[in-house]
Amino acid sequence: MFWQLRRDFTSLFSRKNNSQNHLYPVDGLRAIASLLIILCHLVTIFSAFVPSYPSIEWQNYIRSVSFALSPLMAYALEIFFMLSGFLLTNKLLIQWRKNSVNYQSFLQEYPLLILKRALRFWPGMLLSTILMLVCGEPRYPFSDYVFESFRYISVWFFFQNYIDIEYWLASLAPLWSISLDMQVHIILSLLLYLFYSCQKYISIDRSLKILFLLSIVVSIFLFNPATMPIILITLRYHILSLLLPVHCMHWLEINYNLTFPFELQQSNPMKTFLHRMYLPVEARFGSFITGAILAIHIIHFVPQQDDRNGTRKKYFFLGLIFLYVISPMAQSVDNPLQSNFLITLFIASSRQIFALGQAFILFTALCPPSHPYHSPWIKRFLSSSIWLPISKLSYLVYLIHWRVSFELVFGGSLLFLRAYSVTYAIIISFPIVLFISQLISCIWYVLIEKPTERAVKHYLSRYPRTKTNSQ
């Protein structure tokens, strides 16, 4: 009943003709984000073999293409967040427009909404946990059973992003973003209902735009350039050593018989930035809100009058987005930005601006052909079936590619690439890591994830009917 192996496998390469076909461009953007994140993490891993600053090798690395493009790769996570906010808002508002919602019905549906989201995440988290247990993971020094259980609980109950990174399980480090996504779903669903209920006083779109601006203001107050010299840190430190707990770095050297060409820092210069500006909801909700605003503009589309300048504006905005995306490549590593005001403004708004640009690109693909911003070639590109398997497996691949990369690079089969430049190393290793991650994810998708999805839909669908019939 729940296992349909052939159907689920073929679904990775084909689409159904259904009412959601206008959302096909989402697959392309999601797939591109998945590929960029894998590239970003490979840069982080291979750069760990580069001798420390101020060596000649390090100077060459920070002038390389891989280092110049790493900000773009890192921003790819904002695409996932933007898409998450978009799909949640799109689903809820369409549902509420079809069936009028009131306070009582929302309170009845809300726990199910959150539970379904958790059940969507848990099968993939089980895969990453099994992979971690099979490949090995160091215990925290002098920890007991209670503390080790707490490390797992923080992941499985979605608050990993609020505990000290020194306590993280290295193999499950990417799951901090799953905790963030879950927290935003809990909060944003409530806010959307509040805005929906009060839309006769202030529109949902305007309320969300206020939240978007608030996300920038909050980030300005959270960021302190004196205690978070993030630009200097990225130019002088190995990011891997700052993202993983110290005991994990020692474990990597012992377990894989490695010697990293740098000394581990007793105090992590990036920790303050991570815990104040990178991990918590209050610093990261802007991209989700951007996606929610996009959903409003798609749902409440108003036919435009003949706008002769519309096409010019579209290409102007697309040009600005392109320039913004490639702008990190134009920055000099010898003369980095020095003004604290400009650094604060840039750090506080860069993620939101990037998400806004990607939302505009998606809008040009999703809006009706009658809209002056509509771009048929962007729609065709993002809707291409070539993105389908990467998009549908993007969640599972995101969870496991980090540990797969560890085993392939540190474990020996790709270790020879440390003799190459970081750029060449990721060009060679990327298709291998992607293929193996996709293969493992495909097997799990067919055997576990899709059957679980059907079981959840089957059993939870009874709940509203039971409540309705009992009234």
Side-chain angles (χ1 to χ4, degrees):
M1 177 179 175
F2 300 135
W3 278 269
Q4 302 176 19
L5 305 186
R6 180 178 296 180
R7 175 184 174 183
D8 291 337
F9 178 74
T10 56
S11 72
L12 292 172
F13 306 94
S14 61
R15 293 187 175 106
K16 298 178 182 178
N17 293 322
N18 55 35
S19 59
Q20 297 297 313
N21 58 2
H22 67 285
L23 296 181
Y24 288 168
V26 170
D27 288 326
L29 205 56
R30 184 190 286 123
I32 292 170
S34 178
L35 299 179
L36 288 174
I37 289 175
I38 297 175
L39 287 169
C40 178
H41 287 159
L42 286 174
V43 171
T44 301
I45 290 172
F46 280 109
S47 65
F49 296 116
V50 180
S52 300
Y53 172 89
S55 67
I56 295 176
E57 292 87 349
W58 184 263
Q59 298 296 331
N60 291 334
Y61 162 63
I62 62 176
R63 289 171 172 79
S64 67
V65 174
S66 57
F67 182 84
L69 291 177
S70 56
L72 169 62
M73 301 172 193
Y75 280 149
L77 200 55
E78 306 306 320
I79 299 178
F80 278 126
F81 294 159
M82 183 272 290
L83 292 177
S84 180
F86 167 74
L87 293 173
L88 173 65
T89 305
N90 185 72
K91 179 181 73 172
L92 289 180
L93 292 188
I94 290 178
Q95 177 182 320
W96 293 343
R97 289 177 69 182
K98 286 183 179 179
N99 306 304
S100 58
V101 61
N102 55 38
Y103 179 72
Q104 184 178 4
S105 61
F106 175 75
L107 287 182
Q108 177 181 316
E109 296 170 1
Y110 179 68
L112 282 177
L113 174 70
I114 303 306
L115 178 59
K116 287 179 181 178
R117 190 63 179 174
L119 291 171
R120 166 70 181 90
F121 284 140
W122 280 333
M125 294 165 69
L126 177 61
L127 171 61
S128 57
T129 303
I130 291 174
L131 186 64
M132 177 192 69
L133 295 176
V134 170
C135 296
E137 177 77 20
R139 290 173 61 93
Y140 190 79
F142 310 109
S143 64
D144 56 16
Y145 174 79
V146 174
F147 183 79
E148 288 297 316
S149 299
F150 169 77
R151 298 172 73 196
Y152 284 90
I153 290 172
S154 69
V155 174
W156 281 80
F157 286 88
F158 309 108
F159 61 92
Q160 178 187 4
N161 57 324
Y162 279 99
I163 69 169
D164 194 317
I165 59 173
E166 284 297 317
Y167 304 148
W168 284 13
L169 295 156
S171 301
L172 304 185
L175 274 71
W176 73 267
S177 62
I178 307 303
S179 295
L180 174 65
D181 186 281
M182 189 67 187
Q183 292 157 13
V184 171
H185 263 68
I186 293 171
I187 298 170
L188 184 56
S189 302
L190 292 170
L191 290 175
L192 286 173
Y193 174 72
L194 175 64
F195 298 156
Y196 185 83
S197 302
C198 301
Q199 58 183 323
K200 63 181 179 181
Y201 305 107
I202 180 172
S203 68
I204 304 175
D205 180 54
R206 185 169 297 178
S207 300
L208 290 171
K209 287 176 179 176
I210 292 173
L211 275 182
F212 176 82
L213 294 175
L214 182 62
S215 71
I216 298 177
V217 173
V218 170
S219 295
I220 289 174
F221 280 101
L222 289 175
F223 183 72
N224 184 345
T227 59
M228 309 177 198
I230 187 63
I231 296 178
L232 183 63
I233 289 171
T234 56
L235 291 175
R236 295 192 178 183
Y237 292 91
H238 293 80
I239 299 300
L240 183 67
S241 67
L242 303 179
L243 295 179
L244 293 184
V246 174
H247 73 279
C248 288
M249 294 300 298
H250 287 303
W251 178 81
L252 287 176
E253 291 186 315
I254 296 172
N255 190 60
Y256 296 105
N257 193 26
L258 299 171
T259 301
F260 292 115
F262 54 85
E263 294 183 4
L264 296 177
Q265 302 292 319
Q266 295 302 315
S267 60
N268 189 338
M270 190 181 263
K271 181 181 287 189
T272 302
F273 175 81
L274 289 173
H275 285 293
R276 286 181 62 86
M277 283 293 297
Y278 195 77
L279 301 175
V281 169
E282 56 269 24
R284 298 303 296 263
F285 68 90
S287 296
F288 293 91
I289 300 301
T290 303
I293 295 172
L294 172 63
I296 297 295
H297 282 258
I298 295 297
I299 293 172
H300 297 292
F301 169 73
V302 178
Q304 301 287 314
Q305 299 294 330
D306 184 22
D307 186 356
R308 297 181 180 179
N309 295 321
T311 302
R312 295 178 184 176
K313 291 178 183 177
K314 175 182 68 177
Y315 287 113
F316 174 73
F317 291 141
L318 290 175
L320 287 180
I321 293 169
F322 175 75
L323 291 175
Y324 182 79
V325 167
I326 66 171
S327 61
M329 299 186 65
Q331 296 180 10
S332 172
V333 296
D334 297 314
N335 298 296
L337 195 61
Q338 299 291 334
S339 169
N340 285 342
F341 173 77
L342 293 178
I343 291 174
T344 301
L345 192 61
F346 173 76
I347 298 297
S349 63
S350 58
R351 293 191 295 250
Q352 292 91 328
I353 294 174
F354 180 84
L356 197 62
Q358 304 313 301
F360 180 80
I361 291 174
L362 188 56
F363 180 80
T364 64
L366 295 178
C367 66
S370 59
H371 197 287
Y373 288 168
H374 179 73
S375 176
W377 64 271
I378 291 181
K379 182 175 183 178
R380 284 196 300 270
F381 176 72
L382 294 179
S383 300
S384 172
S385 58
I386 195 174
W387 302 116
L388 263 181
I390 301 175
S391 174
K392 291 190 175 183
L393 297 176
S394 61
Y395 169 62
L396 295 176
V397 169
Y398 172 75
L399 295 185
I400 68 171
H401 78 275
W402 179 249
R403 189 54 197 259
V404 169
S405 301
F406 274 27
E407 294 304 312
L408 291 175
V409 177
F410 297 142
S413 56
L414 294 180
L415 187 59
F416 73 95
L417 292 175
R418 64 180 175 178
Y420 293 73
S421 70
V422 174
T423 301
Y424 286 129
I426 63 173
I427 290 174
I428 297 171
S429 62
F430 172 70
I432 300 172
V433 171
L434 176 62
F435 174 77
I436 294 177
S437 298
Q438 288 279 131
L439 179 62
I440 297 172
S441 298
C442 177
I443 295 171
W444 190 263
Y445 177 85
V446 170
L447 295 180
I448 304 297
E449 187 174 69
K450 290 301 288 185
T452 301
E453 180 183 317
R454 291 192 187 94
V456 169
K457 185 179 294 186
H458 174 74
Y459 290 111
L460 290 187
S461 62
R462 299 177 178 182
Y463 179 79
R465 295 195 206 102
T466 303
K467 296 290 287 185
T468 303
N469 294 336
S470 65
Q471 289 177 347

